[in-house]
Amino acid sequence: MNSSNEPDIQIQAVKYDGSLHCEWETTLLTETGQYLVVYGRRGRVLHHHTRNQTFICDTPSLEYYDLQNGYTVNLDLEQDGQVRYYCNICLPAERTASGLRFVDLDLDLVRNTAGQWTVVDEDEFLENQRTYYYPDEVIEGAKQMLRRLQNKIEQQDFPFDGFLEKWIQRVNKKIDS
């Protein structure tokens, strides 16, 4: 899928104290002042530092990183054409010399292939508030961002307005050609 005009970039998710949580390599598809869209190839290696494990991802992914708001959107592109969504509530992502880095606040919103959205990892969010001493404004900001993200999905606001689906079509065309 990669060509010389699509650079590989490293994605790093870190904990609130800056310690490395997860990292993986992706291919940059587009970048604006508001967001990045990247493609994760099937077979990419995900280093999960918190669990001290390495995973080989068996599905490709399309990933959206907001540079101004505290959320990410990961779409796992299943072989049968189904799409699983996984949204991280985080601090706004930041560009780095080698890619992108974001502080994962361990509060997530997921959609299964049946289209049902569920908030997950609320227990981790509560635990890490104490472990990493989240300031009150970070805790309240994460809760507000979760509500805003749920509203974006419900109202079909960007990037849930067909934008991500268009990228899926582009990626699938490149894979098939």
Side-chain angles (χ1 to χ4, degrees):
M1 154 100 205
N2 199 358
S3 67
S4 59
N5 62 347
E6 295 171 328
D8 285 338
I9 66 169
Q10 190 77 15
I11 306 295
Q12 293 182 324
V14 299
K15 294 294 188 178
Y16 191 75
D17 66 353
S19 61
L20 199 52
H21 176 47
C22 296
E23 64 182 330
W24 60 100
E25 193 171 276
T26 62
T27 300
L28 180 63
L29 298 176
T30 192
E31 179 174 4
T32 72
Q34 170 74 30
Y35 61 81
L36 272 76
V37 177
V38 302
Y39 175 74
R41 290 181 294 284
R42 179 186 336 271
R44 71 195 170 285
V45 177
L46 184 138
H47 300 283
H48 198 300
H49 298 279
T50 308
R51 294 183 187 163
N52 196 25
Q53 292 181 299
T54 300
F55 299 95
I56 305 298
C57 301
D58 61 355
T59 59
S61 66
L62 182 68
E63 302 166 27
Y64 172 91
Y65 295 94
D66 200 291
L67 300 172
Q68 297 175 4
N69 296 292
Y71 70 93
T72 72
V73 183
N74 181 85
L75 293 78
D76 286 325
L77 310 175
E78 302 294 335
Q79 289 183 2
D80 63 2
Q82 296 290 318
V83 178
R84 282 186 171 65
Y85 285 71
Y86 193 101
C87 303
N88 288 293
I89 302 300
C90 56
L91 297 183
E94 298 176 351
R95 277 298 254 139
T96 64
S98 62
L100 184 120
R101 183 181 187 103
F102 66 95
V103 176
D104 187 350
L105 297 174
D106 301 300
L107 185 58
D108 304 307
L109 183 61
V110 299
R111 189 189 88 172
N112 63 21
T113 56
Q116 298 169 315
W117 288 93
T118 307
V119 177
V120 298
D121 296 337
E122 290 175 286
D123 54 338
E124 278 186 61
F125 177 63
L126 291 170
E127 181 181 325
N128 286 334
Q129 288 176 35
R130 294 184 295 274
T131 300
Y132 298 106
Y133 303 102
Y134 292 173
D136 290 342
E137 59 269 15
V138 169
I139 296 167
E140 189 53 38
K143 292 176 183 177
Q144 286 178 5
M145 183 52 62
L146 175 61
R147 287 190 296 272
R148 284 182 56 204
L149 188 59
Q150 290 169 317
N151 286 337
K152 280 179 164 292
I153 292 164
E154 186 177 309
Q155 301 297 318
Q156 296 181 342
D157 288 340
F158 182 84
F160 301 96
D161 59 352
F163 172 79
L164 296 169
E165 288 75 11
K166 288 178 186 170
W167 274 105
I168 291 172
Q169 292 172 2
R170 290 181 194 174
V171 164
N172 285 338
K173 284 180 186 174
K174 287 186 177 192
I175 292 171
D176 294 338
S177 58

